Amino acid sequence: LAGYLQIQGEIFRTFKQARRDLLSGPGTFAFDFPEARLGMIETLGRLERLAVEEASALPDQAQSIQNARLLKTKVMGALDEISAASVLITSGSAEIGRSKPIEVLEQTIDVEVNNLIEAEISRERESLQRAESEMQRFNELTQTVAIASVILALLISVFIVLILSRRLTMGLRALETGARAYAADDLDHVIDLPGEDELSAVAGRFSAMAQQIRTEHRALEELGDELEELVASR
């Protein structure tokens, strides 16, 4: 879009200056016509390359290639006619030479070239609007996904915290119940807390300790019974 706006300004400025100089002068240009010609050729070539690149990614832009090449052909032809008009004026055919710039500007530039440029500017603006709309929809979708991700992450975090809190509460209650049972000399109580975390490990150690104490108590009771029998037999 910027390229077409640029070439539009260059074309109309160059050809209007050329017409002014050829109609009022001796057939020479008051500005650097070869440099202006070279600048327009470079801009037109860049527009053609950009059209080819866009068409390779967007098939609906294929018409832009044809328009860019046709625009280049018409502008080059108009430049050649302006150069020929300058030669005619300087060689003595002033009347014929001065009629060419008027014809080139009014027909080729103002009508044919202008229509091609305006069509491409309109096409590029529509493409830009579509791209902006797609970007806006993408941004809205990205924001929605980001918000949904944050909410989902919060829900997952709350769920995990609840699970851990419930696990911790159940584990502490089981350990408290076991401690009270052991304090009441209920060594047969087993703290049932499955899992592989620290609470399960502590519960397992408590149960193992209670089993060891129970075993030692039974051994002492058996030893006491044996002593009583031995005393009685004596």
Side-chain angles (χ1 to χ4, degrees):
L1 178 59
Y4 277 107
L5 293 173
Q6 176 185 348
I7 194 63
Q8 187 179 44
E10 292 179 1
I11 288 174
F12 287 104
R13 181 173 61 252
T14 299
F15 281 94
K16 285 183 179 179
Q17 289 178 350
R19 183 185 65 173
R20 179 198 61 193
D21 295 342
L22 293 180
L23 291 180
S24 61
T28 57
F29 301 102
F31 66 101
D32 194 343
F33 181 75
E35 182 179 358
R37 177 191 179 101
L38 181 61
M40 283 189 288
I41 293 175
E42 291 178 352
T43 303
L44 290 169
R46 185 172 70 254
L47 288 174
E48 183 179 359
R49 290 192 300 272
L50 290 173
V52 173
E53 292 177 1
E54 287 186 358
S56 64
L58 303 171
D60 59 340
Q61 298 293 325
Q63 183 64 35
S64 297
I65 301 177
Q66 299 179 6
N67 289 347
R69 291 173 178 172
L70 181 58
L71 176 64
K72 183 178 180 180
T73 301
K74 288 188 175 296
V75 173
M76 293 293 296
L79 289 171
D80 293 339
E81 290 189 22
I82 293 295
S83 299
S86 175
V87 173
L88 287 173
I89 295 173
T90 55
S91 63
S93 302
E95 184 177 354
I96 300 175
R98 287 191 172 95
S99 64
K100 280 187 174 295
I102 299 175
E103 180 181 351
V104 169
L105 184 62
E106 292 181 353
Q107 295 182 8
T108 305
I109 301 301
D110 287 345
V111 179
E112 298 176 4
V113 170
N114 184 63
N115 289 341
L116 285 173
I117 293 177
E118 289 295 333
E120 285 306 306
I121 288 177
S122 177
R123 187 194 304 273
E124 292 297 332
R125 281 176 175 165
E126 290 177 358
S127 177
L128 182 59
Q129 290 177 354
R130 288 195 302 269
E132 289 177 347
S133 299
E134 292 176 359
M135 285 298 297
Q136 184 177 2
R137 288 195 299 269
F138 177 76
N139 289 335
E140 292 175 354
L141 177 62
T142 302
Q143 291 176 0
T144 303
V145 171
I147 294 174
S149 299
V150 171
I151 295 175
L152 181 61
L154 289 175
L155 292 176
I156 292 175
S157 300
V158 171
F159 180 71
I160 293 175
V161 169
L162 289 176
I163 292 178
L164 293 177
S165 176
R166 182 179 179 184
R167 170 68 177 176
L168 180 61
T169 302
M170 292 176 59
L172 292 177
R173 286 178 180 175
L175 290 176
E176 182 183 4
T177 302
R180 289 179 178 177
Y182 298 150
D185 204 20
D186 184 8
L187 299 178
D188 293 328
H189 180 81
V190 177
I191 302 176
D192 186 14
L193 192 61
E196 297 180 357
D197 55 6
E198 290 80 359
L199 292 175
S200 298
V202 172
R205 293 192 185 97
F206 267 111
S207 297
M209 179 186 66
Q211 184 178 2
Q212 183 178 1
I213 294 174
R214 184 172 62 251
T215 302
E216 292 178 353
H217 280 191
R218 288 179 179 175
L220 290 174
E221 290 177 356
E222 292 177 356
L223 181 58
D225 293 340
E226 291 178 359
L227 290 175
E228 288 179 359
E229 293 178 357
L230 182 58
V231 170
S233 65
R234 288 183 177 179

